[in-house]
């Protein structure tokens, strides 16, 4: 089993603007308490990309979890975007399409993709604004999302839904622009083989860390240091030592970094039964879902 010495968790945001208060980055090194990278800093997506490039250059043995989806549903219809001639065949081609259509959008935003006449047909954009190819109900789900719902490991939301506080579509599209830039420099599991050394990217849900720490579904947000330290203790981690209130983005990143460290040596997490080579190439998988 691959050994990592550092574990990073990135809480991401798809909001518009040059800097995002919803972005937080934490690292747990060795057996030490997890710590925020640049605590108090309001990150830009470009700065996160620069940090990833530094990690790639350093060849640090770091497992890096990002809290957005690397792809859209593919297996259910044999395509990301049925009826669109330019629908890509795999993950890297999807990222290239997103980047091509958003190249003029500032701050790694994605408005131009969602405004494209073919792309917009597949999304629920707002009340009364639903594309004609948006699947009724919850929207299309990836295999991992269907599986985690069926097994009650997590409650997923379709990336084609852009409405509501729980929507993750815009963040995932912005994240795909990030993945397109680091592709070939930092491997992504399970699309790429796990390297013998150096950094590795995995998709995560921060709610999985909260559930593992004993927090009930739907009540997983931590906003003070004392509650965070209690959750960290449940994962076998030293306390972060934050006093007073804190953002749930920061606590999500800190707790998830410790959770990644706690489960990274579990071989079952790296070989979930439903995962196939085809799924790895087209939809990816959420690390931690078995």
């Amino acid at each position: 089993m691959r050994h990592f010495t550092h574990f990073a968790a990135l809480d991401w945001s798809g909001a518009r603007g040059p800097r995002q208060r919803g972005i937080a980055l934490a690292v747990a090194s060795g057996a030490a308490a997890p710590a925020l990278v640049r605590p108090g800093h309001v990150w830009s997506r470009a700065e996160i990309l620069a940090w990833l490039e530094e990690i790639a250059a350093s060849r640090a043995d770091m497992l890096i979890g990002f809290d957005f989806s690397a792809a859209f549903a593919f297996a259910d219809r044999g395509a990301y975007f049925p009826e669109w001639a330019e629908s890509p065949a795999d993950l890297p081609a999807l990222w290239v399409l997103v980047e091509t259509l958003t190249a003029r959008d500032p701050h790694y935003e994605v408005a131009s993709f969602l405004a494209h006449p073919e792309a917009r047909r597949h999304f629920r954009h707002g009340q009364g604004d639903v594309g004609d190819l948006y699947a009724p109900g919850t929207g299309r789900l990836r295999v991992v999302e269907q599986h985690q719902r069926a097994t009650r490991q997590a409650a997923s939301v379709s990336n084609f839904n852009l409405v509501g506080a729980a929507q993750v579509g815009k963040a995932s599209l912005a994240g795909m622009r990030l993945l397109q830039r680091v592709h070939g420099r930092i491997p992504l599991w399970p699309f790429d083989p796990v390297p013998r050394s150096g950094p590795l990217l995995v998709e995560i849900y921060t709610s999985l860390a909260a559930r593992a720490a004993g927090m009930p579904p739907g009540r997983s947000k931590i906003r003070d240091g004392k509650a965070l330290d209690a959750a960290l203790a449940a994962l076998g981690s030293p306390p972060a030592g934050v006093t007073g209130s804190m953002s749930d983005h920061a606590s999500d990143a800190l707790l998830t970094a410790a959770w990644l460290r706690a489960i990274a040596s579990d071989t079952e997490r790296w070989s979930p039964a439903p995962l196939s080579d085809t799924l790895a190439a087209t939809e990816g998988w959420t690390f931690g879902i078995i």
Side-chain angles (χ1 to χ4, degrees):
M1 189 61 222
R2 169 69 195 279
H3 177 70
F4 295 95
T5 56
H6 307 279
F7 304 85
L10 171 63
D11 197 40
W12 189 242
S13 171
R16 301 183 69 175
R19 294 187 179 274
Q20 310 300 327
R21 293 193 177 276
I23 293 178
L25 177 64
V27 175
S29 296
L36 291 173
V37 178
R38 301 181 70 179
H41 180 68
V42 181
W43 289 87
S44 70
R45 285 186 277 263
E47 288 173 334
I48 292 293
L49 175 61
W51 181 84
L52 286 171
E53 290 172 337
E54 290 176 5
I55 296 300
S58 73
R59 301 299 302 157
D61 289 321
M62 180 179 290
L63 183 62
I64 307 167
F66 55 84
D67 189 24
F68 59 82
S69 298
F72 293 101
F74 187 99
D76 61 339
R77 300 289 301 277
Y80 297 117
F81 308 109
E83 299 189 25
W84 187 4
E86 294 183 26
S87 184
D90 58 19
L91 287 168
L94 171 63
W95 305 334
V96 167
L97 176 65
V98 172
E99 178 60 30
T100 299
L101 295 181
T102 60
R104 295 186 179 182
D105 289 7
H107 317 306
Y108 299 94
E109 295 173 8
V110 295
S112 295
F113 181 88
L114 294 171
H116 187 278
E118 288 295 335
R120 78 176 327 277
R121 298 177 66 192
H122 298 268
F123 293 86
R124 181 179 178 227
H125 300 267
Q127 188 71 29
D129 185 7
V130 182
D132 64 301
L133 294 178
Y134 179 80
T138 59
R140 294 171 60 201
L141 296 170
R142 296 184 297 162
V143 170
V144 67
E145 294 157 353
Q146 296 172 29
H147 176 70
Q148 66 198 17
R149 280 188 167 208
T151 57
R152 298 186 178 182
Q153 295 181 67
S156 56
V157 178
S158 172
N159 292 319
F160 291 103
N161 175 41
L162 307 177
V163 182
Q167 70 89 8
V168 293
K170 292 177 184 176
S172 294
L173 283 164
M176 291 175 199
R177 297 191 67 181
L178 194 79
L179 294 176
Q180 193 271 335
R181 282 165 171 76
V182 299
H183 180 57
R185 289 184 285 174
I186 305 181
L188 169 66
W189 177 90
F191 180 83
D192 296 303
V194 177
R196 293 180 179 272
S197 62
L200 176 66
L201 289 164
V202 293
E203 177 186 322
I204 55 171
Y205 286 159
T206 57
S207 62
L208 291 177
R211 298 274 288 270
M215 302 184 68
R219 297 171 58 189
S220 61
K221 294 302 181 184
I222 296 173
R223 296 183 174 88
D224 72 83
K226 184 177 180 180
L228 173 63
D229 285 348
L232 288 170
L235 297 176
S237 171
V242 178
T243 57
S245 62
M246 64 189 308
S247 76
D248 55 12
H249 305 293
S251 64
D252 279 349
L254 289 161
L255 187 63
T256 307
W259 171 76
L260 280 173
R261 176 171 59 193
I263 69 166
S265 60
D266 182 353
T267 56
E268 188 178 17
R269 308 282 184 164
W270 296 96
S271 54
L275 182 60
S276 65
D277 290 344
T278 299
L279 279 181
T282 56
E283 292 194 354
W285 196 262
T286 305
F287 186 69
I289 296 293
I290 55 176

